[in-house]
Amino acid sequence: MKVYLNKAFLVNFFSMESEDDVYRDIERFLIRIKSSAELILNFDFFEACQDPSNGVIFRRIAGKILAQKTRSQNFNFLEECQAASFHNHTKQHIFFLDEVPELSIEQNFGCFVVDTTNIRRAEVLFQVKEIRVNQKYRNWNFLSLIKHPCNALIITDNYIFFNDRSHENMISILKNIMPNTLKENFEFHLTIIGAHQDPEQRYQVEKEKDRLQKFLSEEFKYSINLTIIQKYHHDRYIFTNYYKITSPRGYSLFRNNRISENLETTLDCKSIAYFSGDYSAETVMLEELVKCRTLKNDSNLLTSDYAGNKINRLLT
């Protein structure tokens, strides 16, 4: 994870001194940057701390933040982040900025941006939701409750193509998670992993890819790099750049806009910023992505086991 921070955000944010939960969440997050994350500044921290106009609060808080070893400087990141190449090989970019109206990082590249004009925008970055999926629902529209910017998606479910023959569930999930817009020359990465335990129930990966690609081309106006890997994966996850969604049951719950009582389940939805005690959602997510990467890179993976080029920035 790379966290970008500019000086104006830090100064203006801590001058607000609000007691709202979202302010405390942002402060805790910045102070508690994990070793797996890199904090990147576009200002000279030591010079800023010596400036009395920045105030005691700034110097005290910034001292905690920047005492960490995982910080670096990039004075040009606001310019560089407007190019597609900047976003191609990093799983998560999070920007904490003062108002920069000419930037469209979120809309163009599916990155999370918090600015001081809309601090409450950060709520989705810190929320934890347990969503009970029962018979009152007809599809996956409730995933819009946690819709957030992203540019990569992985779904793991061994029976998704076996139980979701019409792609009813897959299409509904993608409609409610994938971004509405991305820059024209920037690819969204989508990978689906899973295989029925019964070898007699294997599916034709190229056929499933063609069917799904047709829907994607009709629904979304940006480029989508789709890979399907027919390899057994024990757990059922949805990963985006910023969220880990876990289901005790598979993701093919709905049939003809109905869900049977014995298929009801509860989704556990956590952002990578969530931590409690020794638990870190980011750490768990990274560990699970290693397993997905191992399946993708398996030397025994036959050409009949996958369709697509296996590129996904979450698996680099």
Side-chain angles (χ1 to χ4, degrees), residues 1-2 81 83-95 105-112 149-155 178-179 181-193 222-227 229 239-242 285-286 289-290 292-293 296-297 309-316:
M1 185 198 322
K2 294 188 177 182
C81 71
S85 57
F86 181 89
H87 303 273
N88 275 338
H89 304 295
T90 300
K91 297 177 180 63
Q92 299 97 10
H93 285 144
I94 301 177
F95 294 86
I105 309 170
E106 184 173 306
Q107 293 83 355
N108 285 338
F109 303 111
C111 292
F112 207 98
C150 63
N151 57 43
L153 173 64
I154 296 172
I155 299 175
M178 290 175 61
T181 62
L182 282 179
K183 196 175 179 69
E184 187 175 347
N185 66 343
F186 184 66
E187 279 191 339
F188 185 93
H189 292 172
L190 171 59
T191 302
I192 301 164
I193 302 173
Y222 50 83
S223 178
I224 299 168
N225 190 326
L226 171 63
T227 296
I229 299 175
F239 298 112
T240 71
N241 307 75
Y242 305 101
M285 177 173 166
L286 292 176
L289 288 177
V290 168
C292 294
R293 189 184 309 122
K296 182 199 76 165
N297 296 332
N309 58 17
K310 300 192 290 183
I311 292 175
N312 192 305
R313 57 182 57 88
L314 287 176
L315 299 179
T316 56

Side-chain angles (χ1 to χ4, degrees), residues 12 20 54 59 67 84 111 135 144 154 162 165-166 173 176 180 205 214 218 223 243 253-256 273 275 290 314:
N12 291 334
D20 286 358
N54 287 326
R59 292 194 296 276
C111 292
Q135 295 175 74
S144 61
I154 296 172
F162 178 76
R165 303 282 189 180
S166 67
I173 289 170
N176 286 284
N180 298 326
V205 288
K214 183 177 185 297
E218 294 171 351
S223 178
Y243 260 76
L253 300 177
F254 296 95
R255 293 190 182 181
N256 299 319
F275 63 90
V290 168
L314 287 176

Side-chain angles (χ1 to χ4, degrees), residues 34-288:
K34 299 287 288 183
S35 58
S36 59
E38 182 181 4
L39 182 62
I40 300 170
L41 314 172
N42 66 346
F43 65 95
D44 188 317
F45 160 66
F46 297 104
E47 181 181 300
C49 282
Q50 292 169 11
D51 182 351
S53 65
N54 287 326
V56 174
I57 293 178
F58 169 78
R59 292 194 296 276
R60 175 171 56 83
I61 299 297
K64 292 180 180 179
I65 296 171
L66 301 173
Q68 299 159 91
K69 297 177 182 178
T70 54
R71 72 171 188 275
S72 61
Q73 289 180 341
N74 179 356
F75 292 100
N76 300 313
F77 76 66
L78 284 177
E79 292 77 27
E80 294 175 2
C81 71
Q82 298 179 72
S85 57
F86 181 89
H87 303 273
N88 275 338
H89 304 295
T90 300
K91 297 177 180 63
Q92 299 97 10
H93 285 144
I94 301 177
F95 294 86
F96 290 92
L97 306 173
D98 199 42
E99 184 178 15
V100 188
E102 69 275 14
L103 294 182
S104 298
I105 309 170
E106 184 173 306
Q107 293 83 355
N108 285 338
F109 303 111
C111 292
F112 207 98
V113 180
V114 179
D115 71 69
T116 49
T117 64
N118 188 10
I119 293 296
R120 303 210 71 83
R121 177 74 182 83
E123 285 180 319
V124 71
L125 184 61
F126 300 106
Q127 69 182 354
V128 176
K129 281 190 177 294
E130 288 190 348
I131 302 176
R132 182 63 185 169
V133 187
N134 54 33
Q135 295 175 74
K136 75 177 182 179
Y137 294 113
R138 297 290 176 260
N139 51 44
W140 293 87
N141 284 354
F142 55 84
L143 287 176
S144 61
L145 294 170
I146 57 167
K147 185 157 185 175
H148 54 278
C150 63
N151 57 43
L153 173 64
I154 296 172
I155 299 175
T156 69
D157 182 344
N158 283 324
Y159 305 104
I160 187 68
F161 290 115
F162 178 76
N163 292 329
D164 192 31
R165 303 282 189 180
S166 67
H167 290 180
E168 173 186 0
N169 291 268
M170 183 69 71
I171 287 172
S172 181
I173 289 170
L174 297 179
K175 278 184 176 181
N176 286 284
I177 291 184
M178 290 175 61
N180 298 326
T181 62
L182 282 179
K183 196 175 179 69
E184 187 175 347
N185 66 343
F186 184 66
E187 279 191 339
F188 185 93
H189 292 172
L190 171 59
T191 302
I192 301 164
I193 302 173
H196 200 294
Q197 286 180 296
D198 183 354
E200 298 297 319
Q201 303 297 340
R202 292 177 61 83
Y203 53 86
Q204 296 179 345
V205 288
E206 288 288 352
K207 179 182 177 181
E208 299 295 347
K209 181 177 182 293
D210 289 345
R211 290 176 61 209
L212 196 53
Q213 193 75 62
K214 183 177 185 297
F215 155 73
L216 293 170
S217 300
E218 294 171 351
E219 182 72 19
F220 301 101
K221 303 307 178 187
Y222 50 83
S223 178
I224 299 168
N225 190 326
L226 171 63
T227 296
I228 298 176
I229 299 175
Q230 189 167 206
K231 199 76 173 175
Y232 182 80
H233 186 288
H234 177 68
D235 296 305
R236 293 156 296 279
Y237 287 110
I238 296 175
F239 298 112
T240 71
N241 307 75
Y242 305 101
Y243 260 76
K244 175 181 70 70
I245 303 171
T246 311
S247 174
R249 295 189 179 275
Y251 289 109
S252 51
L253 300 177
F254 296 95
R255 293 190 182 181
N256 299 319
N257 296 316
R258 291 289 187 275
I259 182 174
S260 62
E261 186 175 356
N262 67 329
L263 288 179
E264 293 183 0
T265 189
T266 299
L267 298 187
D268 179 70
C269 310
K270 288 186 173 70
S271 85
I272 58 171
Y274 174 78
F275 63 90
S276 177
D278 293 331
Y279 177 88
S280 163
E282 180 200 8
T283 300
V284 174
M285 177 173 166
L286 292 176
E287 290 171 352
E288 294 300 328

Side-chain angles (χ1 to χ4, degrees), residues 26-39:
I26 292 173
E27 182 177 343
R28 285 202 311 161
F29 177 72
L30 290 174
I31 291 173
R32 191 187 175 275
I33 293 291
K34 299 287 288 183
S35 58
S36 59
E38 182 181 4
L39 182 62

